[in-house]
Amino acid sequence: MSTPVANHEAIEKVRDLIQGIDNAMLTTMTSQGLVSRPMKTQEVEFDGDLWFLTKKDTNKYQEMLKHPAVNVAYVGKSYVSIRGEAELLQDPSKVKEFWNAAYEKLLEVPYDDPSLILIKIKAETAEYWETGNKTKMVKTLFERLTGKESEETDLNKTVDLD
């Protein structure tokens, strides 16, 4: 179980790693197995929850109704994989808060369409690889080559977020 300080630090770290990454891959469970699709990340500061917009008449909506456990993967300055539980919310005021012209073209509906649904993902754990930190990467490779590897230079880490 994580402590409040460790939890806050983990959330800050993940926030920093995913900041500025416009798209993520959302993985859901189907009757045939796992399926991933790109989703536009909402421009809100990560606080342990991730937000996405979709419509009720999509496969992902039906999949999350049956199996709310999901994974969201980000690729940018680092690689981040976030496991969590999806909650499907109908909140027109929140949809309006997130709405922009790109959604109208992408989803082909106005912001007040009743078929719009919010996906709120409560992040449980995150695993990340800090490949964007060149100094840390070089130090890690050097330590691995010389057999002096330490936990401090590990490029991969898993953290609890809830």
Side-chain angles (χ1 to χ4, degrees):
M1 184 167 190
S2 59
T3 65
V5 172
N7 180 270
H8 179 71
E9 289 171 1
I11 288 172
E12 282 185 13
K13 181 64 175 182
V14 172
R15 179 186 307 135
D16 179 56
L17 293 172
I18 67 173
Q19 186 175 16
I21 301 175
D22 291 335
N23 296 299
M25 293 298 288
L26 172 65
T27 303
T28 58
M29 176 64 81
T30 72
S31 58
Q32 289 81 36
L34 300 173
V35 173
S36 298
R37 78 262 296 155
M39 298 290 290
K40 171 134 180 47
T41 303
Q42 294 307 309
E43 294 177 16
V44 294
E45 194 167 279
F46 177 70
D47 61 0
D49 295 330
L50 297 168
W51 292 88
F52 300 97
L53 270 172
T54 193
K55 294 192 301 188
K56 289 181 184 177
D57 65 350
T58 62
N59 289 336
K60 64 184 154 292
Y61 175 77
Q62 295 302 320
E63 293 157 9
M64 287 182 283
L65 281 175
K66 293 177 185 166
H67 305 283
V70 296
N71 193 81
V72 181
Y74 290 89
V75 176
K77 59 187 172 198
S78 296
Y79 300 98
V80 182
S81 177
I82 300 171
R83 180 175 49 84
E85 182 106 357
E87 181 181 355
L88 301 166
L89 303 169
Q90 186 129 28
D91 184 341
S93 63
K94 194 88 167 156
V95 168
K96 189 174 181 180
E97 179 186 326
F98 291 146
W99 196 256
N100 62 48
Y103 280 120
E104 194 152 350
K105 290 190 185 303
L106 181 67
L107 299 173
E108 300 176 326
V109 294
Y111 75 89
D112 57 354
D113 189 289
S115 71
L116 288 172
I117 200 85
L118 289 161
I119 303 168
K120 177 183 179 182
I121 298 172
K122 172 68 177 145
E124 296 168 356
T125 64
E127 186 169 4
Y128 58 85
W129 296 260
E130 292 186 271
T131 57
N133 186 331
K134 300 294 183 201
T135 304
K136 191 171 185 178
M137 206 158 125
V138 168
K139 184 177 179 184
T140 300
L141 292 174
F142 179 76
E143 289 186 359
R144 285 182 182 169
L145 289 171
T146 61
K148 297 178 183 176
E149 193 172 348
S150 70
E151 211 175 284
E152 190 175 295
T153 57
D154 201 5
L155 293 175
N156 171 258
K157 188 167 186 178
T158 301
V159 292
D160 287 325
L161 299 171
D162 62 352

